Amino acid sequence: MRDTLFISHATPEDNEFTIWIASRLELMGYKIWIDKEGLLGGERFWKEIDGVIRKHSCKILLVYSNNICYENEPGELKTGINKEIELAESIAANERIKDFIIPLHIDNSPYDLFVGSNMLNHIPFNENWATGFEQLLKKLQKDKVPISNRMEESSIAKWFENEYINKNSIIDKTELYYSTWWTFDNMPDEFYIYLFKNKAQAEAIYRTNKIPIGKISNVLTTFESELNTNVERNEELIEITPKERHTISITDLLFGYEKEKFPTHRDSENHFKKLLNQCFFQLMRQSRLYWYELSNKKFAYYYVPNTLQNKRITFEYPFRGKYKKKKTKTLFGKHKSLGNWHYAISSKVSLYPFIGFDLKSHLVFTTNGFQTWDDKKKMHSQRRAKGRRFFNEEWRDMQLAFIQGLKNEDGEIIIEVAKDKLLIFKEWTEMFWADFGYLEPKNKKRQDILNEYYFEEE
């Protein structure tokens, strides 16, 4: 019975896409065959390949790219792929199988890489893998390719994890780990919650003061003990007196306290988080960063050409002693012919285990180095295309460089939060020493290729 999807591809150049498509088709219930030994650089067993194509394959899915030819020369198919295609063409002709070979077009290669390839129905994956996968599923359903209704985990994904990924195992080594927690060198001992009669009063005071203030409805939160409550109206100063003013110590905030009336401990947490969000925004604005609104209404902040004197940020890793070596990172630059790419961060306030921010990395794209693209789908597609080249080290270094770029002329990251009160940010995220680690792959082969690549916006 012909019930198997045979995937033919160039090894190792197109392994990434091949495992991605194979694992997803298998999760959908299709029976898949790929050359597992060939994926790992082993010997191709032609007897088995011949038998699968000749007796069991209902479709030959050809991962179509420049890599199927020697040295990217059209017409010179690599030996293994050439054998598979010739056998498939022979079987299709003898048994009159329609659309037996389906090219999955994953790059900008021409449609005539080999004789007859331009006569085949190509499914485009070169713009968006998800869109191509959807079109492929429609074709398989139309041609009534057998499918199992029982949902099971992908054996291909499990095999790849056991045989390939797990070889890069944890080893004994002293290693420094950088977290995404970004905290402070100092923190005021207390903060203040002001309750006003109505929302309009709170809004007027909020706009009068230029320091970071958290605002939720008719409540303002600040590190300022003597908030300016004078508002100019019709060329006169009017004082708006808050109904209530509460002093909350940071110790009570962290360890909790019992109170039934406003502000309860939960109230204090919520309003303090709002205040810290404003402190983060103030720092980004002070540093003249631009921001992009994410789908969850948060902002991702990014550097632009006039933010930095030099788009390259140079820094030294901590704890390197006499082996200190300067690191230089670029946080934005040209992206193909489409515009510019920018590394960006968003933040979420964290109270435990540290008071500070949990940073999240993003990529955004602009038309001219400043204005982000309006096309969300295009933005998403290029995030994946650009992000596929980044590994842990790259993301870590960009995050560290981003923070280093916020320093003032004295090498400090500071904002004013009240009269005679400064909030000083650390120059590094929180770090942890461990007696175990792993070897980062140097051949730039993705370890997460079983997952469709999305940059989360939440």
Side-chain angles (χ1 to χ4, degrees):
M1 178 180 178
R2 293 195 174 275
D3 60 357
T4 302
L5 298 175
F6 182 99
I7 302 180
S8 176
H9 76 288
T11 300
E13 296 88 351
D14 295 331
N15 284 359
E16 173 184 340
F17 176 82
T18 300
I19 299 169
W20 181 87
I21 193 74
S23 61
R24 273 153 181 73
L25 287 171
E26 194 171 53
L27 288 171
M28 297 295 295
Y30 291 101
K31 190 174 181 180
I32 307 297
W33 194 94
I34 59 174
D35 180 12
K36 295 179 179 178
E37 297 301 324
L39 283 169
L40 296 180
E43 181 181 355
R44 298 173 67 89
F45 295 95
W46 289 109
K47 184 176 181 180
E48 181 181 2
I49 292 173
D50 183 281
V52 173
I53 296 177
R54 194 180 297 275
K55 300 177 181 178
H56 303 291
S57 297
C58 55
K59 296 288 182 185
I60 308 298
L61 303 181
L62 172 62
V63 179
Y64 190 95
S65 74
N66 283 311
N67 298 318
I68 65 177
C69 297
Y70 284 112
E71 298 181 355
N72 293 335
E73 290 294 331
E76 294 294 328
L77 283 175
K78 292 181 178 178
T79 302
I81 294 174
N82 189 46
K83 287 183 178 180
E84 293 166 357
I85 296 303
E86 285 187 347
L87 177 59
E89 289 176 337
S90 175
I91 292 172
N94 292 335
E95 301 187 20
R96 297 183 179 179
I97 303 176
K98 185 180 179 181
D99 295 336
F100 190 43
I101 303 174
I102 300 179
L104 310 182
H105 207 129
I106 68 170
D107 66 1
N108 61 351
S109 55
Y111 283 76
D112 57 351
L113 282 177
F114 59 90
V115 176
S117 62
N118 59 335
M119 303 298 292
L120 300 174
N121 182 23
H122 293 232
I123 295 182
F125 282 81
N126 51 330
E127 289 295 331
N128 187 293
W129 289 6
T131 302
F133 185 66
E134 182 179 355
Q135 187 172 333
L136 173 61
L137 290 180
K138 290 180 180 179
K139 174 62 176 174
L140 298 179
Q141 292 167 3
K142 179 182 178 181
D143 291 356
K144 298 180 180 180
V145 173
I147 189 172
S148 171
N149 293 323
R150 189 172 63 180
M151 296 296 293
E152 297 180 356
E153 67 175 348
S154 170
S155 63
I156 293 173
K158 191 172 183 180
W159 162 83
F160 183 74
E161 181 178 358
N162 292 334
E163 296 296 325
Y164 186 82
I165 294 179
N166 285 349
K167 288 186 177 180
N168 298 309
S169 58
I170 293 174
I171 59 176
D172 292 330
K173 62 180 295 192
T174 300
E175 188 162 1
L176 179 64
Y177 286 87
Y178 296 80
S179 75
T180 58
W181 285 313
W182 191 30
T183 62
F184 308 101
D185 270 332
N186 78 320
M187 169 68 66
D189 295 329
E190 54 195 19
F191 64 99
Y192 307 92
I193 297 178
Y194 294 82
L195 176 65
F196 290 87
K197 182 179 179 180
N198 54 50
K199 186 176 179 180
Q201 288 185 349
E203 180 70 23
I205 301 301
Y206 175 80
R207 294 186 178 278
T208 299
N209 291 267
K210 302 304 180 183
I211 57 175
I213 299 176
K215 178 171 68 70
I216 301 178
S217 188
N218 62 327
V219 179
L220 301 182
T221 312
T222 175
F223 289 112
E224 178 58 73
S225 60
E226 300 296 333
L227 194 63
N228 179 16
T229 58
N230 294 318
V231 177
E232 184 176 350
R233 181 179 296 174
N234 298 327
E235 298 183 354
E236 293 185 22
L237 284 179
I238 300 175
E239 184 176 0
I240 300 177
T241 304
K243 290 178 60 178
E244 301 174 16
R245 174 184 175 278
H246 302 273
T247 303
I248 310 295
S249 73
I250 299 298
T251 301
D252 287 343
L253 176 75
L254 295 179
F255 291 96
Y257 60 86
E258 294 294 334
K259 187 177 181 181
E260 294 183 359
K261 294 183 178 180
F262 179 86
T264 65
H265 182 248
R266 177 60 63 87
D267 292 330
S268 296
E269 284 189 330
N270 291 337
H271 289 284
F272 184 69
K273 287 180 179 179
K274 191 69 174 179
L275 171 58
L276 287 190
N277 272 326
Q278 287 301 110
C279 291
F280 191 89
F281 173 74
Q282 184 89 347
L283 175 64
M284 298 298 111
R285 188 172 65 175
Q286 174 181 297
S287 302
R288 299 185 297 119
L289 269 64
Y290 278 48
W291 53 83
Y292 169 75
E293 186 173 353
L294 304 172
S295 61
N296 60 356
K297 305 304 180 182
K298 289 187 176 182
F299 295 132
Y301 300 90
Y302 58 95
Y303 289 97
V304 295
N306 64 356
T307 304
L308 301 170
Q309 293 183 352
N310 188 332
K311 70 176 183 178
R312 294 180 177 272
I313 296 177
T314 301
F315 62 95
E316 295 178 352
Y317 294 111
F319 308 115
R320 291 295 176 96
K322 64 180 181 179
Y323 299 105
K324 279 188 176 181
K325 181 179 179 181
K326 289 187 177 181
K327 184 75 176 183
T328 300
K329 293 302 298 179
T330 300
L331 298 181
F332 59 87
K334 291 290 185 181
H335 179 64
K336 302 179 179 178
S337 60
L338 302 175
N340 296 75
W341 70 273
H342 303 255
Y343 171 78
I345 64 169
S346 62
S347 70
K348 180 180 179 181
V349 173
S350 170
L351 300 183
Y352 311 98
F354 305 99
I355 296 180
F357 307 97
D358 187 4
L359 303 181
K360 193 175 186 64
S361 297
H362 305 267
L363 288 178
V364 299
F365 297 87
T366 62
T367 55
N368 56 4
F370 299 90
Q371 183 62 43
T372 53
W373 295 345
D374 293 328
D375 191 334
K376 303 294 184 181
K377 290 185 178 180
K378 179 183 176 183
M379 179 89 76
H380 164 74
S381 174
Q382 296 307 312
R383 278 197 191 107
R384 185 176 67 183
K386 180 70 176 177
R388 283 167 57 193
R389 304 174 185 177
F390 295 158
F391 285 78
N392 289 340
E393 289 183 0
E394 190 76 14
W395 290 114
R396 176 203 65 197
D397 289 346
M398 288 193 296
Q399 177 180 274
L400 297 180
F402 188 102
I403 294 174
Q404 296 297 306
L406 300 173
K407 289 182 176 180
N408 60 21
E409 294 179 354
D410 297 324
E412 296 178 312
I413 306 173
I414 295 178
I415 61 170
E416 183 179 2
V417 294
K419 184 179 179 181
D420 300 325
K421 288 184 183 178
L422 299 175
L423 191 59
I424 305 176
F425 294 72
K426 290 187 176 181
E427 63 174 327
W428 308 103
T429 56
E430 293 298 316
M431 295 170 282
F432 305 90
W433 287 99
D435 55 3
F436 55 85
Y438 76 105
L439 297 178
E440 184 84 2
K442 298 301 182 184
N443 59 356
K444 299 303 179 186
K445 297 300 179 184
R446 284 168 51 82
Q447 291 189 356
D448 59 341
I449 59 181
L450 301 181
N451 299 316
E452 180 157 10
Y453 200 91
Y454 285 102
F455 271 87
E456 297 180 16
E457 293 193 344
E458 299 184 3

mmCIF file of all heavy atoms in Angstrom, residues 2 30 74 164 333:
data_model
loop_
_atom_site.group_PDB
_atom_site.id
_atom_site.type_symbol
_atom_site.label_atom_id
_atom_site.label_comp_id
_atom_site.label_asym_id
_atom_site.label_seq_id
_atom_site.Cartn_x
_atom_site.Cartn_y
_atom_site.Cartn_z
ATOM 1 N N ARG A 2 0.563 2.187 -0.899
ATOM 2 C CA ARG A 2 1.327 3.438 -0.948
ATOM 3 C C ARG A 2 0.718 4.404 0.068
ATOM 4 O O ARG A 2 -0.316 5.027 -0.185
ATOM 5 C CB ARG A 2 1.298 4.016 -2.355
ATOM 6 C CG ARG A 2 2.044 3.163 -3.383
ATOM 7 C CD ARG A 2 2.299 3.926 -4.670
ATOM 8 N NE ARG A 2 3.125 3.139 -5.584
ATOM 9 C CZ ARG A 2 4.443 3.098 -5.541
ATOM 10 N NH1 ARG A 2 5.087 3.812 -4.627
ATOM 11 N NH2 ARG A 2 5.124 2.362 -6.390
ATOM 12 N N TYR A 30 0.415 11.761 9.244
ATOM 13 C CA TYR A 30 0.951 11.161 8.017
ATOM 14 C C TYR A 30 2.148 10.260 8.329
ATOM 15 O O TYR A 30 2.893 10.507 9.282
ATOM 16 C CB TYR A 30 1.384 12.262 7.039
ATOM 17 C CG TYR A 30 0.230 13.036 6.461
ATOM 18 C CD1 TYR A 30 -0.092 14.293 6.959
ATOM 19 C CD2 TYR A 30 -0.543 12.514 5.433
ATOM 20 C CE1 TYR A 30 -1.155 15.021 6.438
ATOM 21 C CE2 TYR A 30 -1.608 13.227 4.905
ATOM 22 C CZ TYR A 30 -1.918 14.475 5.418
ATOM 23 O OH TYR A 30 -2.973 15.178 4.899
ATOM 24 N N PRO A 74 22.747 24.811 -11.739
ATOM 25 C CA PRO A 74 21.524 24.192 -12.266
ATOM 26 C C PRO A 74 21.834 23.096 -13.269
ATOM 27 O O PRO A 74 22.745 23.223 -14.095
ATOM 28 C CB PRO A 74 20.806 25.376 -12.935
ATOM 29 C CG PRO A 74 21.331 26.584 -12.233
ATOM 30 C CD PRO A 74 22.758 26.265 -11.911
ATOM 31 N N TYR A 164 20.640 13.512 18.146
ATOM 32 C CA TYR A 164 21.402 14.673 17.688
ATOM 33 C C TYR A 164 21.574 15.722 18.783
ATOM 34 O O TYR A 164 22.679 16.065 19.170
ATOM 35 C CB TYR A 164 20.706 15.297 16.471
ATOM 36 C CG TYR A 164 21.493 16.418 15.837
ATOM 37 C CD1 TYR A 164 22.519 16.146 14.937
ATOM 38 C CD2 TYR A 164 21.210 17.746 16.126
ATOM 39 C CE1 TYR A 164 23.246 17.170 14.346
ATOM 40 C CE2 TYR A 164 21.931 18.775 15.535
ATOM 41 C CZ TYR A 164 22.943 18.478 14.648
ATOM 42 O OH TYR A 164 23.653 19.504 14.069
ATOM 43 N N GLY A 333 21.038 47.511 12.149
ATOM 44 C CA GLY A 333 21.773 47.571 10.892
ATOM 45 C C GLY A 333 20.864 47.300 9.718
ATOM 46 O O GLY A 333 19.649 47.108 9.865
#
